[in-house]
Protein backbone atom coordinates (compact mmCIF):
# COMPACT_ATOMS: atom_id res chain seq x y z
CA UNK A 1 0.00 0.00 0.00
CA UNK A 2 1.33 3.43 -0.92
CA UNK A 3 2.16 5.95 1.79
CA UNK A 4 -0.70 8.29 2.79
CA UNK A 5 -0.56 11.86 1.53
CA UNK A 6 -1.14 14.97 3.63
CA UNK A 7 -1.51 18.49 2.28
CA UNK A 8 0.46 21.39 3.74
CA UNK A 9 0.55 25.08 2.86
CA UNK A 10 4.29 24.92 2.23
CA UNK A 11 6.87 22.15 2.26
CA UNK A 12 9.43 22.26 5.09
CA UNK A 13 12.79 23.78 4.26
CA UNK A 14 14.87 21.68 6.66
CA UNK A 15 15.50 18.01 7.29
CA UNK A 16 12.89 17.77 10.06
CA UNK A 17 9.44 19.23 10.70
CA UNK A 18 6.26 18.90 12.73
CA UNK A 19 2.99 17.94 11.10
CA UNK A 20 0.26 19.47 13.25
CA UNK A 21 -3.11 21.17 12.79
CA UNK A 22 -5.95 19.24 11.10
CA UNK A 23 -3.54 17.17 9.00
CA UNK A 24 -1.41 16.29 12.02
CA UNK A 25 -4.51 15.26 13.97
CA UNK A 26 -5.68 13.10 11.08
CA UNK A 27 -2.28 11.44 10.73
CA UNK A 28 -1.79 10.78 14.46
CA UNK A 29 -5.32 10.13 15.73
CA UNK A 30 -7.31 8.91 12.71
CA UNK A 31 -4.76 7.03 10.61
CA UNK A 32 -2.71 6.25 13.73
CA UNK A 33 0.66 6.45 12.04
CA UNK A 34 3.50 5.19 14.21
CA UNK A 35 7.21 5.83 14.55
CA UNK A 36 9.04 4.48 11.52
CA UNK A 37 6.09 4.72 9.13
CA UNK A 38 6.38 6.87 6.02
CA UNK A 39 4.05 9.46 4.57
CA UNK A 40 3.99 12.05 1.81
CA UNK A 41 3.69 15.79 2.30
CA UNK A 42 2.39 17.76 -0.69
CA UNK A 43 1.73 21.45 -1.25
CA UNK A 44 -1.01 20.86 -3.83
CA UNK A 45 1.02 22.71 -6.46
CA UNK A 46 3.35 19.94 -7.61
CA UNK A 47 5.82 19.83 -4.73
CA UNK A 48 6.10 16.83 -2.44
CA UNK A 49 8.37 15.26 0.15
CA UNK A 50 8.58 11.75 1.53
CA UNK A 51 8.99 11.73 5.32
CA UNK A 52 9.31 9.21 8.17
CA UNK A 53 7.66 9.62 11.57
CA UNK A 54 10.23 9.91 14.37
CA UNK A 55 7.85 10.74 17.22
CA UNK A 56 4.09 10.90 17.72
CA UNK A 57 1.72 12.89 19.91
CA UNK A 58 -2.06 13.05 20.23
CA UNK A 59 -2.47 15.49 17.36
CA UNK A 60 0.90 15.79 15.68
CA UNK A 61 3.88 13.92 14.25
CA UNK A 62 7.58 14.72 14.26
CA UNK A 63 9.01 13.94 10.83
CA UNK A 64 12.34 13.38 9.17
CA UNK A 65 12.40 14.43 5.51
CA UNK A 66 13.77 11.66 3.29
CA UNK A 67 13.31 12.87 -0.30
CA UNK A 68 11.87 15.84 -2.17
CA UNK A 69 10.28 16.07 -5.60
CA UNK A 70 8.75 18.71 -7.83
CA UNK A 71 6.46 17.62 -10.65
CA UNK A 72 5.77 19.87 -13.64
CA UNK A 73 2.16 20.92 -14.15
CA UNK A 74 0.32 18.80 -16.73
CA UNK A 75 0.18 20.24 -20.23
CA UNK A 76 -2.35 20.50 -21.68
CA UNK A 77 -4.48 21.17 -18.61
CA UNK A 78 -7.86 19.45 -18.35
CA UNK A 79 -10.63 21.90 -17.45
CA UNK A 80 -14.27 20.95 -16.91
CA UNK A 81 -17.04 23.55 -16.86
CA UNK A 82 -19.55 21.63 -14.77
CA UNK A 83 -23.23 22.52 -14.74
CA UNK A 84 -24.36 22.94 -11.13
CA UNK A 85 -26.37 19.92 -10.05
CA UNK A 86 -28.86 19.40 -7.25
CA UNK A 87 -28.17 17.52 -4.05
CA UNK A 88 -24.81 15.84 -3.76
CA UNK A 89 -24.39 15.06 -7.46
CA UNK A 90 -22.10 18.02 -8.00
CA UNK A 91 -19.84 16.94 -5.16
CA UNK A 92 -19.83 13.37 -6.49
CA UNK A 93 -18.71 14.71 -9.87
CA UNK A 94 -15.96 16.82 -8.27
CA UNK A 95 -14.71 13.88 -6.24
CA UNK A 96 -14.53 11.46 -9.16
CA UNK A 97 -13.11 14.00 -11.63
CA UNK A 98 -10.36 14.87 -9.15
CA UNK A 99 -9.48 11.20 -8.76
CA UNK A 100 -9.10 10.74 -12.53
CA UNK A 101 -6.96 13.85 -13.01
CA UNK A 102 -8.94 17.01 -13.72
CA UNK A 103 -6.87 20.19 -13.30
CA UNK A 104 -9.66 22.75 -12.91
CA UNK A 105 -13.41 22.60 -12.35
CA UNK A 106 -15.58 25.64 -13.03
CA UNK A 107 -19.12 25.69 -11.57
CA UNK A 108 -21.54 26.85 -14.27
CA UNK A 109 -24.97 28.35 -13.57
CA UNK A 110 -26.77 26.70 -16.49
CA UNK A 111 -30.34 27.64 -17.33
CA UNK A 112 -31.49 24.11 -16.45
CA UNK A 113 -29.55 23.91 -13.18
CA UNK A 114 -32.10 23.18 -10.46
CA UNK A 115 -29.80 24.37 -7.67
CA UNK A 116 -28.90 28.05 -7.74
CA UNK A 117 -25.75 29.37 -6.04
CA UNK A 118 -26.72 32.76 -4.71
CA UNK A 119 -25.13 34.97 -2.03
CA UNK A 120 -24.05 33.08 1.11
CA UNK A 121 -25.50 29.81 -0.17
CA UNK A 122 -23.34 30.01 -3.26
CA UNK A 123 -20.19 30.68 -1.26
CA UNK A 124 -20.87 27.69 0.98
CA UNK A 125 -21.63 25.42 -1.97
CA UNK A 126 -18.40 26.42 -3.66
CA UNK A 127 -16.43 25.75 -0.47
CA UNK A 128 -17.91 22.24 -0.41
CA UNK A 129 -16.50 21.69 -3.89
CA UNK A 130 -13.11 23.01 -2.75
CA UNK A 131 -13.09 20.69 0.28
CA UNK A 132 -14.24 17.74 -1.83
CA UNK A 133 -11.46 18.29 -4.38
CA UNK A 134 -8.88 18.57 -1.60
CA UNK A 135 -9.92 15.32 0.08
CA UNK A 136 -10.18 13.47 -3.23
CA UNK A 137 -6.68 14.63 -4.21
CA UNK A 138 -5.33 13.22 -0.94
CA UNK A 139 -7.11 9.92 -1.49
CA UNK A 140 -5.71 9.66 -5.02
CA UNK A 141 -2.18 10.64 -3.84
CA UNK A 142 -2.22 13.65 -6.16
CA UNK A 143 0.42 16.34 -5.66
CA UNK A 144 -1.76 18.80 -7.57
CA UNK A 145 -5.11 19.83 -6.07
CA UNK A 146 -7.57 20.93 -8.78
CA UNK A 147 -8.51 24.58 -8.90
CA UNK A 148 -12.20 25.37 -8.35
CA UNK A 149 -12.94 28.39 -10.53
CA UNK A 150 -15.87 30.78 -10.36
CA UNK A 151 -16.88 33.41 -7.82
CA UNK A 152 -18.75 31.32 -6.83
CA UNK A 153 -20.03 30.29 -10.28
CA UNK A 154 -19.89 31.50 -13.89
CA UNK A 155 -22.58 32.52 -16.34
CA UNK A 156 -23.05 31.04 -19.80
CA UNK A 157 -21.33 34.08 -21.33
CA UNK A 158 -18.35 33.69 -19.01
CA UNK A 159 -18.15 29.98 -19.76
CA UNK A 160 -18.22 30.69 -23.50
CA UNK A 161 -15.24 33.00 -23.03
CA UNK A 162 -13.03 29.99 -22.28
CA UNK A 163 -14.32 27.74 -25.01
CA UNK A 164 -12.36 28.65 -28.13
CA UNK A 165 -11.19 25.23 -29.28
CA UNK A 166 -13.04 23.52 -26.43
CA UNK A 167 -15.73 20.84 -26.40
CA UNK A 168 -19.32 20.46 -25.25
CA UNK A 169 -20.72 17.07 -24.28
CA UNK A 170 -24.08 16.82 -26.02
CA UNK A 171 -26.23 13.78 -26.77
CA UNK A 172 -27.11 14.99 -30.30
CA UNK A 173 -23.50 15.62 -31.35
CA UNK A 174 -22.14 13.69 -34.31
CA UNK A 175 -18.43 14.07 -33.48
CA UNK A 176 -16.94 11.64 -30.97
CA UNK A 177 -14.54 12.80 -28.28
CA UNK A 178 -12.42 9.74 -29.01
CA UNK A 179 -11.69 11.00 -32.54
CA UNK A 180 -11.48 14.80 -32.45
CA UNK A 181 -8.14 16.57 -32.69
CA UNK A 182 -6.69 17.66 -29.35
CA UNK A 183 -4.27 20.55 -28.72
CA UNK A 184 -0.69 19.69 -27.77
CA UNK A 185 -0.49 22.37 -25.08
CA UNK A 186 -2.52 25.00 -23.26
CA UNK A 187 -5.81 23.63 -21.99
CA UNK A 188 -8.62 21.35 -23.07
CA UNK A 189 -11.93 22.76 -21.87
CA UNK A 190 -14.98 20.51 -21.69
CA UNK A 191 -18.55 21.53 -20.82
CA UNK A 192 -20.78 19.13 -18.89
CA UNK A 193 -24.43 20.11 -18.55
CA UNK A 194 -26.65 19.79 -15.46
CA UNK A 195 -29.37 17.16 -14.98
CA UNK A 196 -31.66 18.75 -17.55
CA UNK A 197 -28.94 19.09 -20.15
CA UNK A 198 -27.79 22.08 -22.18
CA UNK A 199 -30.49 24.15 -23.87
CA UNK A 200 -30.34 25.28 -27.49
CA UNK A 201 -29.36 28.88 -26.72
CA UNK A 202 -26.48 27.78 -24.53
CA UNK A 203 -25.26 25.32 -27.13
CA UNK A 204 -25.44 28.01 -29.82
CA UNK A 205 -23.43 30.40 -27.63
CA UNK A 206 -20.76 27.79 -27.03
CA UNK A 207 -20.50 26.87 -30.72
CA UNK A 208 -20.29 30.56 -31.65
CA UNK A 209 -17.40 30.88 -29.18
CA UNK A 210 -15.51 28.13 -31.03
CA UNK A 211 -16.50 24.98 -29.15
CA UNK A 212 -17.23 21.64 -30.81
CA UNK A 213 -20.18 19.51 -29.64
CA UNK A 214 -19.02 15.94 -28.96
CA UNK A 215 -20.43 12.72 -27.58
CA UNK A 216 -18.93 9.70 -25.86
CA UNK A 217 -21.15 6.94 -27.21
CA UNK A 218 -24.75 6.01 -27.74
CA UNK A 219 -25.83 6.19 -24.10
CA UNK A 220 -26.64 9.32 -22.08
CA UNK A 221 -24.70 9.68 -18.83
CA UNK A 222 -25.66 11.51 -15.66
CA UNK A 223 -24.08 14.87 -14.93
CA UNK A 224 -22.17 13.21 -12.06
CA UNK A 225 -20.55 10.63 -14.35
CA UNK A 226 -20.26 12.25 -17.79
CA UNK A 227 -17.23 14.35 -16.89
CA UNK A 228 -15.49 11.38 -15.29
CA UNK A 229 -15.97 9.25 -18.41
CA UNK A 230 -14.76 12.04 -20.69
CA UNK A 231 -11.69 12.74 -18.55
CA UNK A 232 -10.81 9.06 -18.50
CA UNK A 233 -10.89 9.03 -22.30
CA UNK A 234 -8.80 12.21 -22.50
CA UNK A 235 -6.27 10.90 -19.96
CA UNK A 236 -5.76 7.84 -22.17
CA UNK A 237 -5.43 9.84 -25.36
CA UNK A 238 -2.92 12.21 -23.72
CA UNK A 239 -0.86 9.33 -22.31
CA UNK A 240 -1.55 10.40 -18.76
CA UNK A 241 -2.82 6.86 -18.23
Amino acid sequence: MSAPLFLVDALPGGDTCTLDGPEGHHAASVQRLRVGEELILADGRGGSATARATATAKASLELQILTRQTVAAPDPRLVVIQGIAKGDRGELAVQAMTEVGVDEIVPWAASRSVAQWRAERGAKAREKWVATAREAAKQARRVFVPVIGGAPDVSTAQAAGRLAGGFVLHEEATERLSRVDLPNSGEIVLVVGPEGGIDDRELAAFVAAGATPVRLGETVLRTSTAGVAALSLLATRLDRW
Side-chain angles (χ1 to χ4, degrees):
M1 182 177 179
S2 60
L5 183 145
F6 298 90
L7 290 169
V8 294
D9 292 334
L11 295 175
D15 294 332
T16 62
C17 70
T18 301
L19 180 64
D20 52 16
E23 293 290 77
H25 176 269
H26 188 77
S29 298
V30 179
Q31 295 211 4
R32 297 182 180 275
L33 294 181
R34 296 294 178 252
V35 171
E37 293 188 286
E38 294 185 4
L39 55 83
I40 300 169
L41 301 177
D43 60 12
R45 300 177 297 277
S48 66
T50 302
R52 179 183 293 121
T54 57
T56 64
K58 185 176 181 180
S60 64
L61 296 177
E62 297 300 321
L63 302 174
Q64 176 187 6
I65 304 301
L66 303 176
T67 62
R68 301 174 186 274
Q69 183 179 20
T70 300
V71 177
D75 185 31
R77 299 175 72 242
L78 297 177
V79 180
V80 173
I81 297 177
Q82 173 70 50
I84 295 172
K86 65 182 179 180
D88 64 353
R89 290 180 182 173
E91 291 164 46
L92 289 172
V94 170
Q95 176 184 345
M97 289 192 293
T98 298
E99 291 176 2
V100 299
V102 73
D103 298 301
E104 182 178 354
I105 304 170
V106 181
W108 167 40
S111 63
R112 292 177 179 171
S113 289
V114 175
Q116 299 295 318
W117 288 12
R118 294 292 179 266
E120 184 178 353
R121 178 182 179 182
K124 288 182 177 179
R126 182 181 181 279
E127 284 306 309
K128 283 186 178 180
W129 282 29
V130 171
T132 299
R134 179 183 174 88
E135 292 305 310
K138 289 168 58 178
Q139 177 66 35
R141 312 295 197 268
R142 286 191 61 179
V143 296
F144 283 96
V145 176
V147 174
I148 304 297
D153 55 14
V154 300
S155 65
T156 296
Q158 290 170 322
R162 295 193 65 173
L163 276 173
F167 305 98
V168 183
L169 285 184
H170 197 274
E171 61 186 280
E172 296 179 3
T174 56
E175 296 270 10
R176 290 182 181 267
L177 185 59
S178 59
R179 299 171 184 167
V180 294
D181 292 334
L182 300 177
N184 294 320
S185 62
E187 61 182 26
I188 298 173
V189 183
L190 178 76
V191 176
V192 177
E195 297 95 327
I198 299 171
D199 74 19
D200 292 340
R201 289 174 297 178
E202 291 167 336
L203 182 61
F206 293 154
V207 171
T212 301
V214 294
R215 64 187 305 161
L216 293 170
E218 300 304 321
T219 59
V220 178
L221 303 182
R222 290 178 179 269
T223 186
S224 56
T225 56
V228 183
L231 288 167
S232 300
L233 172 60
L234 291 172
T236 303
R237 292 194 60 189
L238 295 170
D239 290 329
R240 288 196 183 191
W241 285 11

